[in-house]
Amino acid sequence: MALPDFKKTQQDKTVIPEWAKYMQDGEFISYNTTYPSKTLFHLFDYYTHPCKETGDIRYYVYDPVKHGADPSKKYPVLMWLHGASNSLMGEGCIMCCGAEQYASERYQQKMGGAYIIVPLCNEERAEDGTILGAWDVEHSAPIKEIYDKVCDEHAANIGKRFVMGASSGGWFTWRLLEDWNGYFDAAIPIASGYIPDDETLDRIAESGVELVIAHGKHDEMAIFDECIAPRLEKLNSLPNTICFFPEWVYNGDGGISSVFYGFEMGQHCMINWIQNDLMFDDGTQADERFPNGVTGWIKSVCAK
């Protein structure tokens, strides 16, 4: 998920999104997430990984055993990949990439515990606003090195390996699946403007990886009709895959999500709904294929 203008501290709620014309009677726009945020950063430990190609890579790790989980058990490892510009927020990236809620006591209980890794690329904002240093092919090897390092340091407690990311992090999720075929047990590429070609998708699927491909039909940045629609038949044919392509991306209050800090990207920000566990605040599930939310899906993958 790319963040807009950091200098703006409040959303402009006077601008009517272009997609509002497609809303039905009874539907409403929601401007804010309903879960608490920026409250769990202290649960993550900070590290750096040396890398000549990209510069040293900062990363954060949540260790479930350190925070009370049974030291005799194994836990999945979830790597959350941020969108373009998010690393400029430092530890705030833990929130933007989707990881924060999954370190909460409630989500940890729902998953049965999990390690969480949040790597940050070394982004810079040029004078014209362009983001330099975002995820690229050169990050693939060092990010896997970080993943390996965490797994090696906690080898006795490591279970299945997950990777997930939104926007440019969604692209990089696909890239890691391509480069390290068979390494990951499950992945969630979200709002990605890129989908691998059919041959590569087949190779990824043959590894047995469990996939959730998530993309809203009114995504303002990665246009659904351009990025997803031409590949629908192929994506829906992949084994062990859930294609989650909802008409609308919602907030927990049931409103259609709008995020406007200079441009509209509420429907691109499916990561916010993922942080809400694909559940509404009243307990209603977003999709019958996720009866217990994303946390339930993670737990079910680990049980296989």
Side-chain angles (χ1 to χ4, degrees):
M1 180 185 73
L3 279 184
D5 189 350
F6 286 110
K7 297 178 183 179
K8 297 180 181 295
T9 58
Q10 292 186 335
Q11 291 197 64
D12 184 345
K13 301 178 182 180
T14 65
V15 178
I16 304 300
E18 176 66 23
W19 41 254
K21 60 188 177 184
Y22 299 111
M23 294 171 59
Q24 302 297 312
D25 290 345
E27 294 178 327
F28 65 96
I29 295 175
S30 173
Y31 295 97
N32 297 296
T33 57
T34 57
Y35 49 81
S37 59
K38 302 181 182 180
T39 62
L40 302 177
F41 297 164
H42 65 284
L43 299 178
F44 290 79
D45 296 312
Y46 174 79
Y47 302 91
T48 59
H49 179 73
C51 182
K52 292 182 179 179
E53 291 76 18
T54 67
D56 292 355
I57 298 175
R58 299 160 290 163
Y59 66 101
Y60 295 88
V61 176
Y62 172 86
D63 177 352
V65 175
K66 178 180 178 180
H67 295 286
D70 188 337
S72 68
K73 294 184 177 181
K74 293 185 180 294
Y75 304 97
V77 182
L78 317 179
M79 176 174 274
W80 292 87
L81 301 168
H82 64 77
S85 81
N86 286 174
S87 72
L88 299 175
M89 300 183 70
E91 70 173 4
C93 190
I94 296 170
M95 171 193 67
C96 291
C97 75
E100 182 180 18
Q101 300 306 308
Y102 288 79
S104 69
E105 182 177 357
R106 185 164 70 94
Y107 280 30
Q108 285 285 312
Q109 288 179 348
K110 291 173 72 174
M111 292 184 291
Y115 285 90
I116 302 173
I117 309 172
V118 179
L120 278 62
C121 55
N122 297 315
E123 295 174 308
E124 297 179 6
R125 188 186 295 275
E127 290 185 3
D128 64 358
T130 302
I131 298 298
L132 307 175
W135 296 122
D136 207 340
V137 294
E138 64 185 356
H139 290 98
S140 180
I143 291 304
K144 181 177 179 292
E145 290 171 2
I146 290 172
Y147 210 112
D148 287 338
K149 182 186 296 186
V150 173
C151 290
D152 290 345
E153 291 174 349
H154 305 278
N157 300 110
I158 297 301
K160 293 194 174 181
R161 296 183 294 270
F162 291 70
V163 60
M164 47 270 279
S167 195
S168 68
W171 168 81
F172 195 48
T173 297
W174 281 119
R175 181 74 199 197
L176 291 176
L177 292 175
E178 293 180 42
D179 290 350
W180 311 106
N181 191 43
Y183 180 82
F184 295 101
D185 297 293
I188 313 178
I190 305 160
S192 172
Y194 166 79
I195 301 291
D197 60 35
D198 286 2
E199 182 179 350
T200 304
L201 285 174
D202 287 337
R203 181 166 58 87
I204 292 172
E206 287 170 3
S207 75
V209 65
E210 302 268 351
L211 287 172
V212 173
I213 305 171
H215 204 116
K217 291 184 178 178
H218 294 277
D219 191 312
E220 304 93 348
M221 300 177 70
I223 307 303
F224 185 88
D225 286 346
E226 298 174 3
C227 301
I228 298 294
R231 311 297 302 284
L232 272 176
E233 183 176 357
K234 181 62 179 179
L235 295 175
N236 281 315
S237 73
L238 295 175
N240 305 313
T241 298
I242 297 175
C243 290
F244 179 64
F245 302 146
E247 185 69 23
W248 296 110
V249 172
Y250 292 94
N251 283 327
D253 60 6
I256 297 171
S257 175
S258 172
V259 177
F260 191 97
Y261 291 87
F263 59 89
E264 178 61 53
M265 57 184 298
Q267 294 300 293
H268 184 59
C269 292
M270 183 175 284
I271 192 63
N272 292 345
W273 204 13
I274 297 289
Q275 285 224 72
N276 221 68
D277 206 17
L278 290 183
M279 303 285 285
F280 294 100
D281 293 345
D282 65 2
T284 304
Q285 62 204 36
D287 187 296
E288 62 182 8
R289 295 170 297 177
F290 298 96
N292 297 302
V294 178
T295 53
W297 176 79
I298 291 170
K299 189 173 183 178
S300 69
V301 170
C302 294
K304 293 181 179 180

